[in-house]
Amino acid sequence: MSAPVLPAVDEPEAGHRLRAVPAPSRLWWVYVLVTLALAATGAGAAEALFVTHDFGDYTAAQDCLARNGISISETTQPVSAGPVYASCTRDYDRRLAFTSLAGAAALPAAAGLLMVLGGLGTRRRLRASRLAGVPPADLEPLTARFRTLCDSQGLTGRRRPRLVVAPPATAVTDAFTAGLPGGRPWVVVPQACAYADQAAFDVVVLHELGHVRARDIWWASAVWWAGWLVFPVLVLALLPILGVPEAMWDFYGGSLIVAAVTAVALIVVRAALLRHRELAADRYAVDATGDPDVMATVLRAGSSPVSWPGRVFRTHPAVSDRLAPAGRGAHWDGGFVFTTAAGVVAMVTYHGVQAVLRNLLGFVDEDPRLSADVALTVAALLWTTVVLPAWTRRAAREKPAWAGPWAGAVLGLVAGFCLPTPGASAAITDFFAPEQPLLVVVLTLAAFAVCVLTSAIATRLAVPAGSVPHHRLSLAGAALAVAVTLAAAVSGAASSVATYLLFHDPAVARGHVAGLGSDRAWQYAPAVLLAGLAAVAARSRWRRPRPVVGAVIAVTALAGGTAAALSFFVRVHDVQDDSLRYVLAYQRWWICAFAGLVATVAVVLANRRRGAALAGVPSALGGGLLVTTVAGAIQYTAVRIAGYARESTVFQQSVQLPGWLLVVALIVTLPLTSPLVSAWARRNPRWGAAAWAVGSGAATVLLAVALVGGGLSAVTVAESDYAAGRAVAALAVPSPPPAPPVAPPTAADHGRPLDEPAVTAALSRLPALLPPDARLEDNAPSTSETVTPPACDAAEKSLSATEKALPRTADVERTYAFAADGTVGGGYVSASITSYTGVDDLFSAMDDALSACARFRTPQKNFDGGHLDGVLTPGPAPALPQPARTRNRSLTGRFHGKPAAVISRDYSVHIGHNVVFVEVYFGYIRTPPPQDVLRKFDRLLTDVTAGLAGSL
């Protein structure tokens, strides 16, 4: 933010009159974007710090999951595992969330501190002792003229900056502005200004006063430090693994690349912003003096050739650009760079907010999409708040160009969604990786539709409002319409691709897209959009619609409602399967949506004006939503009178579902309808209202016929969608544990006391239930170790004493080992059958031990520290008719410095006089076995227990 200084010229006095001019527009949005970008970067770096230092005790969460049969190697978990997964990771996730929040607050605070230190450094360089060399003869005229210039611009009192005249010893050669947050800015000029023409001095100082009034000092410093902090902060967080390049690159290579690119991008964006602000300050100085010739002379005096790479990082524009600032700078506000940055930061904010909500509040336990939808709403409001005002100013120009802003907005939103925050978990990116091209295409469609709607609404807002209340109402409605459209469109696009990725079935994905109309998050999106568009329309004084608009709306609504009702009546029967009824219902709603689609396009075409088709989009879209609503009400009334659809509501049938399908249809067909509108705007056919109405009605009927005939089933609804949806819904219901085979009826009593030969015979079935490579092992000797806490030790010894005190007729145990990937030494199955003379209840003592030994420590000399830390939890009882218990146990510690664990799960079944005990256990170092190995252990436990219980 400096200006060149012109050497003395012949004219002794300034030949211009000073004028008070409005302050240049303030880039408040830069503060928002920079703060959020720093917060997201800080949150990502804090997460990397959290992981690399293991602040959350990752091993404990991992062992808990393994104890419950869940492996971290599985990228997606079954719905039935959700509560267990959440329980095991709750403490870890909440610590991670608080750490991320701390990082999100710390990095902006660090940037603010560096801004203060930078300002203090400048003041130290220009301290009083170094300024003492300026003689009063040079200082006093400049100070007096500076006061005059400030007074002319209304900068008085505490608002007036301080003039600092720097002698040659300070090495200051150009004028610049500096300051501290909350303090008075300094306008620094070299002492050479005392020997320059007064007119040149006026231009230089007014240029700096333009920066002061626009408050450019703070955001420029903030962006500067943001650019230099992004990469080093992440590297500092990764210090523990910098010595292991392979691991660092495997886990954080992508984050490091993104951080480096982000840092360079921030520096480049800052340079572009500063070049833009230099042009704004030049215009301010010229407007205040009314003398562009002096500005041109000053600029030419400080010109020097600049290479192309230098232009990218240069903070001052080329002299050729500055000599024509109005033509060079007008395109920047709301342009490509602006909207790209806004989109990236908005989506980075989305990722950060979603991660914090998911980890901190546990929303993922109840609804996997709730945290994402809340975060997306925040991001959409941010994007709307920043972009809509800038595009409104852009639309007010004589010939606004939209190609660059649209391209930047699409690029920013899509790239921001697909790229991970540096240092943060790349869960979303990794999940969508198999279908990344499809995700990019679908998000591009959604983002493009949002861009068209936003620019169209901005075009309407550029027209002066009828009154202040109308102005405020239209602004609120516009922000609401754009934000809800962006949030719903991106959420629907991402969740639809995710659905296809999970099931690879177009029928499931198609049903999901249509079903979003009844989703609890976006079911009111069409109604909110319609309300927002109505508020935008209220900006100007109400005028009666053109006859052609009224005719199109009336005919398409009537044609759509009638066609939808008829499509139902000609095919409905009293005895029909659910799949056909599903198709009939959704086809009715799609026909209503098609009526709205035709009406929207027809109204835009009928109201087209050369180069101004965008201005008609909001009213046309509002008319399309109105047509869909009326058509839905017509078909609902007809179907309800006929005795059908009694369980539904008029809102659901006419607004909620058809309105959502209209939004989907508009987004999907936009690549076709936008070129049509663009081409039609260049024509001037003289069609009357009747022709437009008849054509629109005919198009609606043709689409209805194509839909009913199956021509549009691939993109709307088909009979297979119902069966696919039911199959997906069945997957969301946890499957009950498999019931053991029922033993064939015999004369023997399964609960009778058994002798040792009978127990041995029952255990002889065990090898047939085990893997082929299972081998018999010696039973582990019985030991009595003292565990802590004492209550656990007492409970375990009481259980052991109770079991030993009971008289028995047989007690046989067998242990087998078998190979298992990811384990140390394989897996083990231990099974025993004990037959007692009485039928005493042993489970009460077992329950006491479970309660007392939730967490315990047991001696183990083979591990570091000579002990293992244990966790003992009850599990769901096996599906058996007899009393049974399940226990999950994990023993964790370190083996030669590496985290290690022993995991076991056992079933105890009480069958009369007999107790069947089966335990499966295994050990691992660092990470548990894959999910298929854990499932194998679970199957073995269930099969062996069922087989032994059935053999008694």
Side-chain angles (χ1 to χ4, degrees):
M1 281 174 227
S2 59
V5 177
L6 179 68
V9 291
D10 294 336
E11 298 182 17
E13 296 291 336
H16 52 249
R17 295 180 58 187
L18 298 176
R19 294 174 292 184
V21 295
S25 60
R26 295 174 180 174
L27 300 185
W28 62 268
W29 55 269
V30 176
Y31 295 100
V32 176
L33 295 184
V34 169
T35 301
L36 290 174
L38 285 170
T41 302
E47 182 174 334
L49 186 72
F50 179 90
V51 172
T52 55
H53 288 79
D54 196 17
F55 291 151
D57 196 0
Y58 179 76
T59 302
Q62 172 182 268
D63 294 339
C64 177
L65 292 172
R67 184 171 63 248
N68 288 278
I70 302 174
S71 175
I72 60 170
S73 64
E74 197 82 349
T75 55
T76 58
Q77 300 297 335
V79 175
S80 58
V84 175
Y85 195 96
S87 176
C88 287
T89 60
R90 182 174 289 112
D91 290 341
Y92 180 90
D93 289 342
R94 288 185 177 175
R95 292 177 189 173
L96 175 58
F98 282 119
T99 304
S100 298
L101 285 175
L107 194 59
L113 178 62
L114 290 172
M115 289 170 58
V116 172
L117 293 177
L120 291 175
T122 300
R123 293 199 174 191
R124 176 174 174 77
R125 185 164 66 97
L126 300 175
R127 58 188 180 273
S129 60
R130 302 195 66 183
L131 301 178
V134 180
D138 291 345
L139 181 61
E140 291 174 0
L142 295 180
T143 303
R145 186 58 182 174
F146 183 78
R147 285 197 298 267
T148 301
L149 294 172
C150 289
D151 291 341
S152 71
Q153 305 306 310
L155 294 173
T156 59
R158 292 185 57 83
R159 298 175 58 235
R160 175 176 294 177
R162 175 188 171 186
L163 176 67
V164 176
V165 180
T170 61
V172 173
T173 58
D174 292 324
F176 66 91
T177 302
L180 290 171
R184 292 173 59 189
W186 286 12
V187 174
V188 183
V189 297
Q191 185 180 344
C193 286
Y195 309 103
D197 175 36
Q198 180 177 292
F201 176 76
D202 289 355
V203 168
V204 169
V205 170
L206 287 169
H207 174 99
E208 299 304 326
L209 292 181
H211 287 309
V212 171
R213 296 191 67 188
R215 300 182 182 177
D216 289 338
I217 309 167
W218 319 128
W219 70 255
S221 180
V223 179
W224 170 261
W225 287 114
W228 286 107
L229 283 174
V230 169
F231 189 79
V233 164
L234 180 58
V235 172
L236 287 175
L238 299 178
L239 278 179
I241 60 173
L242 287 180
V244 191
E246 295 181 359
M248 182 184 68
W249 188 253
D250 287 342
F251 287 99
Y252 292 102
S255 289
L256 289 170
I257 293 175
V258 172
V261 172
T262 302
V264 174
L266 282 172
I267 299 298
V268 171
V269 169
R270 174 183 180 270
L273 280 169
L274 286 175
R275 291 195 296 270
H276 169 66
R277 300 311 290 171
E278 289 296 319
L279 297 177
D282 287 347
R283 288 194 298 271
Y284 179 85
V286 170
D287 291 343
T289 61
D291 191 352
D293 294 335
V294 176
M295 173 63 74
T297 304
V298 171
L299 291 174
R300 291 192 183 97
S303 64
S304 60
V306 182
S307 63
W308 182 88
R311 284 176 176 262
V312 175
F313 296 96
R314 189 178 175 87
T315 58
H316 285 65
V319 172
S320 58
D321 292 344
R322 300 182 73 170
L323 290 176
R328 299 287 185 176
H331 70 282
W332 206 96
D333 194 18
F336 177 83
V337 175
F338 173 94
T339 50
T340 301
V344 169
V345 173
M347 290 296 102
V348 167
T349 303
Y350 156 71
H351 288 307
V353 174
Q354 182 195 11
V356 170
L357 290 179
R358 185 180 66 243
N359 294 332
L360 182 61
L361 303 179
F363 282 168
V364 71
D365 298 356
E366 301 175 5
D367 185 347
R369 289 182 48 220
L370 183 56
S371 58
D373 289 338
V374 172
L376 198 51
T377 301
V378 174
L381 288 172
L382 166 65
W383 188 88
T384 302
T385 304
V386 172
V387 173
L388 185 59
W391 281 11
T392 301
R393 294 191 297 271
R394 189 179 192 87
R397 298 174 188 146
E398 184 177 354
K399 291 183 179 180
W402 293 108
W406 286 354
V410 171
L411 176 62
L413 291 171
V414 175
F417 187 94
C418 295
L419 293 177
T421 303
S425 170
I428 294 179
T429 307
D430 293 342
F431 176 80
F432 284 109
E435 294 293 345
Q436 190 79 15
L438 177 62
L439 176 66
V440 170
V441 170
V442 175
L443 284 177
T444 299
L445 270 178
F448 179 54
V450 172
C451 291
V452 172
L453 176 63
T454 306
S455 56
I457 291 178
T459 303
R460 289 296 300 269
L461 294 180
V463 178
S467 64
V468 174
H470 286 169
H471 172 71
R472 292 176 177 174
L473 177 64
S474 62
L475 287 181
L480 193 64
V482 172
V484 74
T485 303
L486 174 59
V490 174
S491 175
S495 63
S496 298
V497 174
T499 301
Y500 180 77
L501 182 62
L502 289 172
F503 300 100
H504 292 284
D505 187 348
V508 176
R510 192 167 52 229
H512 174 80
V513 172
L516 286 173
S518 56
D519 181 78
R520 69 177 182 178
W522 307 119
Q523 60 181 326
Y524 300 109
V528 173
L529 175 59
L530 181 58
L533 293 173
V536 172
R539 180 176 182 83
S540 55
R541 187 176 180 181
W542 186 84
R543 292 181 298 177
R544 179 180 299 177
R546 294 177 57 198
V548 63
V549 175
V552 167
I553 289 177
V555 171
T556 50
L558 181 61
T562 304
L566 288 176
S567 72
F568 180 79
F569 291 136
V570 299
R571 293 178 295 166
V572 69
H573 302 289
D574 292 334
V575 180
Q576 282 180 321
D577 59 12
D578 291 335
S579 61
L580 184 55
R581 288 183 178 272
Y582 173 89
V583 170
L584 294 181
Y586 268 96
Q587 283 187 346
R588 297 201 318 267
W589 299 327
W590 270 112
I591 291 172
C592 296
F594 286 155
L597 173 66
V598 171
T600 301
V601 176
V603 170
V604 171
L605 293 177
N607 283 336
R608 80 236 176 268
R609 296 188 301 275
R610 185 179 299 274
L614 276 176
V617 169
S619 58
L621 179 55
L625 286 167
L626 181 62
V627 166
T628 297
T629 301
V630 174
I634 291 174
Q635 64 86 20
Y636 172 74
T637 302
V639 171
R640 185 66 181 269
I641 291 175
Y644 300 97
R646 295 188 179 276
E647 70 282 356
S648 59
T649 65
V650 64
F651 174 79
Q652 179 191 37
Q653 293 274 329
S654 58
V655 180
Q656 179 179 319
L657 292 168
W660 171 259
L661 295 179
L662 170 61
V663 173
V664 173
L666 287 168
I667 293 174
V668 172
T669 60
L670 189 59
L672 300 177
T673 57
S674 54
L676 172 64
V677 172
S678 179
W680 195 266
R682 298 185 178 89
R683 303 182 58 189
N684 191 28
R686 299 187 177 184
W687 288 8
W692 280 107
V694 171
S696 301
T700 302
V701 173
L702 287 175
L703 287 173
V705 171
L707 176 64
V708 173
L712 300 176
S713 296
V715 293
T716 54
V717 63
E719 288 190 41
S720 60
D721 296 359
Y722 179 79
R726 290 294 297 271
V728 172
L731 293 176
V733 179
S735 301
V742 179
T746 64
D749 176 14
H750 285 236
R752 71 194 185 283
L754 302 175
D755 55 17
E756 189 159 326
V759 170
T760 303
L763 287 173
S764 66
R765 296 189 56 191
L766 191 55
L769 302 172
L770 300 178
D773 62 337
R775 62 188 183 278
L776 184 64
E777 297 278 328
D778 294 333
N779 295 325
S782 178
T783 60
S784 178
E785 301 284 356
T786 300
V787 301
T788 55
C792 173
D793 187 65
E796 284 286 346
K797 289 179 178 177
S798 175
L799 173 61
S800 176
T802 301
E803 291 178 339
K804 291 180 179 179
L806 294 176
R808 64 197 68 195
T809 59
D811 188 358
V812 181
E813 180 182 359
R814 294 287 186 270
T815 301
Y816 288 84
F818 55 91
D821 294 338
T823 64
V824 177
Y828 295 83
V829 173
S830 178
S832 67
I833 299 177
T834 305
S835 188
Y836 299 95
T837 58
V839 288
D840 301 76
D841 178 20
L842 293 175
F843 286 160
S844 58
M846 183 180 294
D847 293 339
D848 292 340
L850 271 170
S851 178
C853 298
R855 293 187 178 275
F856 62 94
R857 174 170 288 184
T858 182
Q860 180 54 258
K861 61 181 181 180
N862 293 329
F863 286 77
D864 300 351
H867 66 267
L868 290 174
D869 292 319
V871 176
L872 183 64
T873 59
L880 293 167
Q882 298 87 6
R885 291 291 187 274
T886 301
R887 297 186 302 176
N888 301 321
R889 179 188 288 106
S890 65
L891 298 170
T892 58
R894 288 190 171 270
F895 185 75
H896 297 298
K898 300 176 182 178
V902 178
I903 305 296
S904 72
R905 175 179 290 188
D906 62 65
Y907 284 171
S908 298
V909 185
H910 200 165
I911 309 174
H913 291 263
N914 307 305
V915 173
V916 176
F917 176 82
V918 180
E919 180 183 22
V920 174
Y921 56 96
F922 58 92
Y924 64 85
I925 294 178
R926 289 192 182 277
T927 56
Q931 188 67 51
D932 58 347
V933 175
L934 298 185
R935 292 196 186 102
K936 177 181 179 181
F937 288 136
D938 285 344
R939 286 194 301 270
L940 279 175
L941 184 60
T942 302
D943 293 345
V944 170
T945 304
L948 293 181
S951 67
L952 296 184

